[in-house]
Each structure stands twice: as structure tokens, then as C-alpha cells.
Amino acid sequence: MRLAGPLRIVALVVIVGLTWIIVSILLGGPGSGFPRIQQLFTSPENSATVEPRARKYKCGLPQPCPEEHLAFRMVSGAANVIGPKICLEDKMLMSSVKDNVGRGLNIALVNDVNDLLKFIRPLHEGTLVFVASYDDPATKMNEETRKLFSDLGSKNVKDLAFRDSWVFVGAKGVQNKSPFEQHVKNSKHTNKYEGWPEALEMEGCIPRRTMAS
């Protein structure tokens, strides 16, 4: 009967020791936190490595532009609800947030045909022109306006009609048609919105002087 006390103490020490060993194994050793326990309750689907986010460059482009090129991104308006955006060299020139866009042709908020002609006529040689439509770009256009845009490098302005979507980058003095232009016709058969086509998005790198060569 006298051995009962010491045996109980030995048994208690053994149990404590085994418990410590098991806990150490589950915790992964000193200073490692709880990785092993977490692994026991983590499914293979949830243990997949999270891929790093793709790096974005100026104006959100997926790749940087070469030297002597300007990064740009522009989006036409969506119906008559969401305004257009024009970004150049990581600077937002126009957007609804800046409260400097309006329906029509967004070239520094020009919608009246007389103001538009006064705005475009005196442009210096090589000046880049960014245009993003919103709601209706064509109703107030006349033949002179269309010719001015055509001289800036547009090949679609002659066909621009009521509530079409249009984005365009041209330059004063350009010799060829601009490669930076998109146009979607307003058609009830293909319109994304009721009465309007889808918004257009265009991005890229513009040579600083090649546009006007």
C-alpha cells in the first residue's frame, strides 16, 4: 500500500511527459506557432498557393510602354449613365469622378459644334487628340467637323451616327489613318443596353512624334 503514492506520481509524470511530446509534435516545435494543427483542418482545395497579383503599369496597362511612348487608356461612356474615362501617362484627364465629362464628344467637354471647331482648328502640328463618346457623338456633327477628325487620322468618323460608341486618338498633321480607333454602331439587334451599344475600351502606347510623321 505504501507504493501506491509513488506509483501514482510516476504515472502522472509519464502522462505529463507524453502529453508534452504530443503537443510539441502537433505544434511543430518551439516558435513555429500552429502550422501542423492548421494543416489537420485544412482541405487540399484551401491549401493551394495564392498566385501573386499581376503588376499594373501606367494607366493600368499590363506591360510598360517603350521609351518615347505615351501610355494611354480610354473608355467610352456606357449608354447615358456611366461617363467616359481618358487616362494618359497615369493621369486621369477625364472621368465622372473628376466631374469634367459630358454627353457628346469628350474633348475637354466640347459638345457644341461651333465650340468644337474653334477647339480643333488652331491645334499645333503633332498635337495628340483623345476622343471618347458619351450617349450621342454624332447628332451635332456637320461635314466640316467630320473632315477635321478625318484629317486627324479617323477612318470611322464619316460613318458615325446617332448613339454610336466611339473612341479615337489622332494627331494634327498625321499622314496616315490612326491605328488607335474603335467604333460600334447603334443597332437594336446588337445593342448591349436598351438604345445604346456596348462601351468601348482601348489602351496602348503612342509614339511621341511618330503620329505626326
Side-chain angles (χ1 to χ4, degrees):
M1 297 297 293
R2 293 181 180 179
L3 295 176
L7 287 175
R8 289 178 181 176
I9 295 175
V10 172
L12 181 60
V13 171
V14 171
I15 292 173
V16 171
L18 290 174
T19 303
W20 176 255
I21 293 173
I22 294 172
V23 170
S24 298
I25 293 174
L26 289 175
L27 296 182
S32 61
F34 300 89
R36 303 257 178 119
I37 291 179
Q38 186 176 6
Q39 289 175 6
L40 293 176
F41 296 96
T42 303
S43 64
E45 292 79 5
N46 297 330
S47 61
T49 303
V50 178
E51 294 184 1
R53 292 184 178 180
R55 181 179 176 182
K56 294 293 184 180
Y57 296 87
K58 290 181 179 180
C59 292
L61 269 62
Q63 299 291 335
C65 287
E67 292 185 8
E68 297 302 315
H69 284 66
L70 303 173
F72 80 95
R73 181 175 181 269
M74 53 198 308
V75 184
S76 69
N80 62 345
V81 179
I82 303 175
K85 297 178 182 179
I86 299 178
C87 175
L88 179 66
E89 283 294 283
D90 226 22
K91 295 181 180 180
M92 191 61 69
L93 303 181
M94 289 185 173
S95 70
S96 296
V97 174
K98 294 179 71 70
D99 196 25
N100 63 349
V101 297
R103 295 180 181 178
L105 295 173
N106 279 273
I107 320 170
L109 269 182
V110 175
N111 192 28
D112 182 85
V113 65
N114 294 320
D115 290 339
L116 178 62
L117 293 174
K118 292 176 184 178
F119 180 75
I120 295 179
R121 281 172 182 157
L123 291 179
H124 297 292
E125 196 83 0
T127 300
L128 292 172
V129 179
F130 295 78
V131 186
S133 66
Y134 183 25
D135 187 15
D136 174 29
T139 299
K140 295 183 179 181
M141 275 193 175
N142 57 23
E143 289 304 316
E144 183 179 3
T145 309
R146 293 177 188 270
K147 184 179 185 305
L148 283 173
F149 278 116
S150 180
D151 292 343
L152 292 171
S154 171
K155 58 182 177 293
N156 295 324
V157 67
K158 64 181 185 301
D159 300 318
L160 206 60
F162 177 66
R163 286 185 175 175
D164 287 359
S165 287
W166 184 46
V167 288
F168 166 66
V169 182
K172 185 67 177 288
V174 68
Q175 299 299 317
N176 301 312
K177 293 303 180 183
S178 170
F180 304 107
E181 184 175 25
Q182 293 184 21
H183 174 220
V184 174
K185 299 290 291 182
N186 169 23
S187 170
K188 63 180 181 180
H189 302 295
T190 58
N191 281 350
K192 182 174 181 179
Y193 309 102
E194 185 177 354
W196 290 270
E198 63 182 311
L200 291 173
E201 182 175 337
M202 184 170 64
E203 62 185 31
C205 304
I206 304 173
R208 289 180 181 272
R209 299 300 301 175
T210 305
M211 290 289 294
S213 61

